Amino acid sequence: MTAGGTGQAETERDEKGGVRTALAGLTTRGRSFLAAGIAAAICAYVLGQSDLLRVGLLLAVLPLICTTVLYRTRYRVAGSRRLAPSRVPAGSEARVHLRMDNVSRLPTGLLMLQDRVPYVLGPRPRFVLDRVEPGGRREVSYRVRSDLRGRYPLGPLQLRLTDPFGMCELTRSFSTFDTLTVIPRVEALPPVRFSGEAKGYGDGRQRSLALAGDDDVIPRGYRYGDDLRRVHWRSTARYGELMVRREEQPQRSRCTVLLDTRGIAFAGAGPDSPFEWAVSGTASVLVHMLERGFSVRLLTDTGSAVPGEGSDGFAGASQETADAAGLMMDTLAVIDHSDGTGLSRAYDVLRGGNEGLLVAFLGDLDDEQAAVVAKMRRRGGGAVAFLLDSDAWMREPTDVPGPTAQHGERLRMLREAGWTAVSVPRGTSLSELWRQADRERTGVAAMSGGETLS
């Protein structure tokens, strides 16, 4: 649970435009009483009926009295909001808790609460609270749900005051609001091994020094408790003080996840579109690799990565794993189609360093972009591509099955370049495709006489 915003609403008189604001708060009942009273008074004057005049004055004065009393009532109400949780996967529910505190010395009248929420999260919640005693509090809650990822503002909270006769309603708004982040769905993946991959601290070929080792990368000064057998005498003679040599540092495997966001590469929109599947698959692989202790990097076709990401990506299997996953999920929550037409920027980034295992979620490719993706394959690391066919994806299951000829040609090109390329049919879970990629990689390695990792 996370603490939401707090604020205060005061029912104090505004000198400028006070009468106009008060009369604008008249309800339909109050306006009807006022109109009936004026009409009765006019008829009484024309007909000379004094009793009808009294009735007309009563009808006209009653809503005005209620409006004056309600508007001049001085009490202060504080409100707060809590989201549980503030980050929720698409399709899941979050609960919003509202709390109202009467911080004045006077009891409140009937209160009506209304919280502003985007229409994609559901209907606008409304609550009616009875009289709140001085120093008292009331708590209510409601649920929100969205099938679309994104960041959605909640608030500001509106407080409506009404008199016992329902003649007048005045609205006060709090100034604070909170944000609900709807992240992509994350699917649990089975623990498989791909060519060029190693465990988080294993002995694979594509590794980097861990960001947090027990020793520095160069001999350091002697510290109390260090083993004297680790004294580095050459450095000691050079610096004039005891220096100890470092031990072998733990190695951390790298994984780069490439997400194709080009608008021309995906057809359709909505929760069941191929692009949303690719975003959800990217989130699943990122979380899976972080949990396995990899240094994980998120890359898009524009060549951009997650803000705050280090040169080696986010480190897994550490206390910062949850924070790293949260930053990546926040980025994927608002990611959208790019205006780019090619993958050359991502290729330039990958060409600049050793990226370890490469997992790519790709949309439709033409000949030029398929050649660019083929060159991304690094000799030392594994490369897995999930290729979506938008045309086949948008067809109904009763239509002609199977990928298009162009899609099959793209798969062949990537496989010949060394990729473990998997076609993504509509309705297939990522875990099944993850196992399929492992089987295809194992089959290729067996046919070529290579070593098979388990």
Side-chain angles (χ1 to χ4, degrees):
M1 295 185 181
T2 60
T6 62
Q8 290 187 348
E10 297 187 8
T11 59
E12 294 186 359
R13 180 184 177 186
D14 186 4
E15 296 296 339
K16 183 177 180 180
V19 177
R20 181 181 302 175
T21 303
L23 293 178
L26 285 174
T27 62
T28 302
R29 180 185 299 178
R31 295 176 186 273
S32 300
F33 269 65
L34 182 60
I38 295 176
I42 294 175
C43 292
Y45 176 78
V46 173
L47 301 176
Q49 298 290 331
S50 59
D51 293 336
L52 183 59
L53 178 61
R54 296 188 186 95
V55 174
L57 292 177
L58 176 62
L59 294 176
V61 170
L62 180 59
L64 298 178
I65 293 177
C66 293
T67 300
T68 304
V69 172
L70 181 63
Y71 193 76
R72 295 180 64 89
T73 300
R74 298 173 180 266
Y75 56 83
R76 302 170 64 237
V77 178
S80 63
R81 182 190 297 105
R82 271 190 307 122
L83 305 182
S86 61
R87 184 187 291 121
V88 62
S92 301
E93 290 184 345
R95 183 169 289 274
V96 183
H97 300 268
L98 302 177
R99 172 177 165 178
M100 305 301 300
D101 294 271
N102 184 10
V103 296
S104 68
R105 299 179 182 179
L106 299 175
T108 68
L110 190 66
L111 302 179
M112 291 186 292
L113 299 181
Q114 177 177 277
D115 207 7
R116 292 186 177 180
V117 299
Y119 71 95
V120 296
L121 297 182
R124 182 169 294 183
R126 294 180 175 88
F127 305 94
V128 178
L129 303 181
D130 292 333
R131 175 180 177 272
V132 181
E133 65 279 3
R137 69 179 60 168
R138 298 291 186 271
E139 294 186 4
V140 293
S141 64
Y142 64 92
R143 294 177 295 181
V144 291
R145 179 182 180 275
S146 174
D147 292 327
L148 299 175
R149 32 180 201 89
R151 290 197 182 102
Y152 300 101
L154 301 179
L157 182 65
Q158 290 184 335
L159 179 65
R160 289 188 178 182
L161 313 175
T162 183
D163 64 282
F165 300 101
M167 299 289 180
C168 182
E169 287 183 359
L170 296 180
T171 301
R172 296 291 183 267
S173 296
F174 293 85
S175 59
T176 58
F177 63 92
D178 293 277
T179 302
L180 175 67
T181 303
V182 180
I183 62 176
R185 296 183 181 93
V186 175
E187 184 176 351
L189 302 180
V192 301
R193 297 285 298 279
F194 295 109
S195 176
E197 172 192 345
K199 294 181 179 179
Y201 288 91
D203 54 355
R205 289 173 292 176
Q206 302 300 322
R207 301 178 297 177
S208 64
L209 288 176
L211 297 179
D214 294 332
D215 302 283
D216 299 329
V217 297
I218 60 175
R220 57 170 176 80
Y222 175 83
R223 300 171 184 169
Y224 179 78
D226 286 338
D227 190 349
L228 293 177
R229 291 175 296 182
R230 294 174 54 197
V231 174
H232 194 268
W233 296 109
R234 181 178 299 177
S235 299
T236 298
R238 179 180 178 182
Y239 293 103
E241 59 177 328
L242 280 179
M243 305 290 291
V244 295
R245 61 179 179 273
R246 68 180 180 91
E247 293 180 347
E248 183 180 356
Q249 287 189 304
Q251 305 288 321
R252 174 173 290 122
S253 297
R254 295 179 179 178
C255 176
T256 298
V257 183
L258 171 63
L259 174 61
D260 184 6
T261 63
R262 295 173 299 138
I264 62 174
F266 297 92
D272 298 327
S273 65
F275 180 69
E276 291 301 321
W277 189 96
V279 174
S280 177
T282 301
S284 301
V285 173
L286 289 172
V287 173
H288 177 73
M289 290 301 181
L290 278 173
E291 291 176 348
R292 296 192 63 191
F294 279 69
S295 290
V296 180
R297 184 180 187 182
L298 172 61
L299 184 65
T300 66
D301 58 286
T302 61
S304 60
V306 180
E309 185 181 85
S311 59
D312 290 335
F314 288 105
S318 65
Q319 295 181 352
E320 292 80 16
T321 300
D323 296 336
L327 286 175
M328 291 185 175
M329 293 301 104
D330 289 345
T331 301
L332 292 176
V334 296
I335 201 167
D336 202 355
H337 291 296
S338 67
D339 297 330
T341 58
L343 299 166
S344 57
R345 293 183 180 178
Y347 171 71
D348 293 338
V349 175
L350 294 173
R351 186 175 54 179
N354 188 357
E355 303 301 332
L357 176 65
L358 176 60
V359 182
F361 291 86
L362 305 171
D364 296 330
L365 300 176
D366 55 20
D367 293 338
E368 180 181 356
Q369 300 312 315
V372 173
V373 175
K375 292 189 296 183
M376 293 181 184
R377 171 69 169 87
R378 310 294 293 181
R379 179 179 299 178
V384 182
F386 296 96
L387 189 60
L388 290 91
D389 186 357
S390 296
D391 294 336
W393 188 284
M394 300 306 296
R395 289 199 304 260
E396 295 295 333
T398 56
D399 295 341
V400 180
T404 61
Q406 183 181 5
H407 183 74
E409 178 64 21
R410 302 295 177 262
L411 288 172
R412 185 189 63 79
M413 291 181 58
L414 296 184
R415 288 166 180 168
E416 290 179 353
W419 284 82
T420 301
V422 179
S423 178
V424 181
R426 181 178 181 180
T428 306
S429 66
L430 179 61
S431 59
E432 296 178 4
L433 298 176
W434 194 251
R435 293 189 181 94
Q436 178 183 344
D438 180 54
R439 291 193 300 266
E440 292 187 7
R441 188 271 313 162
T442 303
V444 172
M447 293 177 61
S448 61
E451 181 183 2
T452 300
L453 301 177
S454 59

